[in-house]
Amino acid sequence: MNKVLLVSGSNRRGNTEYLLLKLKGVIKNSELLLLREKKIEFCKGCLYCHNKENCIIKDDMSSILDSIKASDYIIFGVPNYFDNVSGIFKNFIDRLHPLYKSEKIKNKKVIFLFIGGGKVSGTATAMHEAIKGMVKYLQLDVRKEYSFQALNINDMKEEKDIVEKFSKEIKDLVE
């Protein structure tokens, strides 16, 4: 059975977390990681991790990196902030550097969920561009990207049919 890590890059309990909780409810072997609840310092740019598999900073990223390496699939929930990833998710991306040179997650299967207040097509385009470097340098295997329109904190709760359909599709994909 595949181990699935669900990562929320949102600063609030809203649409991104709602979608990830729905997935956690249908995917048997899954773990939800809320970045907002973790202590993740800013990357210092010291390059300590450039030739090592760990970071000089002692915070929650060490255990997060272990969870990432141990997973078969990673599903990233990322809100759209001004056609880019949220600050907390960008900080998280920067701290993934130990996995870059080590190639420890090369070809890791990932799915992205992008949630933004604008049109779905605009969110899809902007967010695909925003995560391109992360995907390229970590050599991730992107299986699917989903985009949703949701601005207000509970908008996705009103989209039961959409949420049910996508939850089933992802469950079938990862299990």
Side-chain angles (χ1 to χ4, degrees):
M1 181 182 325
N2 286 326
K3 181 174 176 154
V4 179
L5 180 63
L6 307 162
V7 179
S8 175
S10 181
N11 294 308
R12 66 181 188 179
R13 282 191 70 137
N15 297 299
T16 303
E17 189 170 326
Y18 176 77
L19 291 173
L20 292 173
L21 283 169
K22 286 294 183 187
L23 291 176
K24 182 158 179 32
V26 298
I27 299 170
K28 290 182 182 97
N29 193 17
S30 63
E31 170 192 353
L32 177 60
L33 171 63
L34 303 172
L35 294 179
R36 73 170 189 279
E37 293 182 352
K38 301 297 180 182
K39 182 177 178 10
I40 304 173
E41 298 292 327
F42 293 109
C43 176
K44 298 177 186 309
C46 68
L47 296 179
Y48 176 87
C49 65
H50 199 60
N51 295 308
K52 300 191 183 312
E53 291 182 25
N54 59 340
C55 181
I56 199 165
I57 302 169
K58 303 303 176 213
D59 60 10
D60 290 336
M61 268 315 280
S62 178
S63 64
I64 292 170
L65 294 176
D66 289 342
S67 293
I68 288 171
K69 289 187 267 187
S71 66
D72 297 300
Y73 266 93
I74 306 169
I75 301 175
F76 295 106
V78 189
N80 178 344
Y81 285 22
F82 290 98
D83 286 343
N84 211 324
V85 299
S86 64
I88 194 170
F89 195 77
K90 175 60 171 103
N91 190 43
F92 166 74
I93 291 172
D94 292 346
R95 293 293 305 285
L96 294 175
H97 194 97
L99 302 175
Y100 163 52
K101 283 294 221 178
S102 70
E103 296 188 339
K104 288 291 183 180
I105 62 169
K106 180 180 181 177
N107 299 319
K108 180 76 68 178
K109 294 174 266 197
V110 299
I111 297 170
F112 285 94
L113 313 179
F114 303 128
I115 300 91
K119 292 182 180 176
V120 169
S121 60
T123 293
T125 300
M127 297 304 280
H128 176 81
E129 286 299 311
I131 53 94
K132 248 167 89 170
M134 173 192 178
V135 169
K136 175 183 171 183
Y137 293 111
L138 295 176
Q139 302 178 62
L140 301 173
D141 178 6
V142 180
R143 294 298 174 102
K144 198 86 172 162
E145 292 179 14
Y146 293 87
S147 293
F148 302 93
Q149 184 175 8
L151 176 63
N152 299 304
I153 201 161
N154 292 312
D155 283 352
M156 288 312 301
K157 289 180 181 177
E158 304 300 319
E159 301 293 341
K160 292 181 184 355
D161 292 341
I162 291 171
V163 172
E164 186 177 318
K165 180 182 177 204
F166 117 92
S167 297
K168 182 184 179 336
E169 187 176 314
I170 290 182
K171 179 183 185 291
D172 292 344
L173 185 63
V174 302
E175 286 189 343

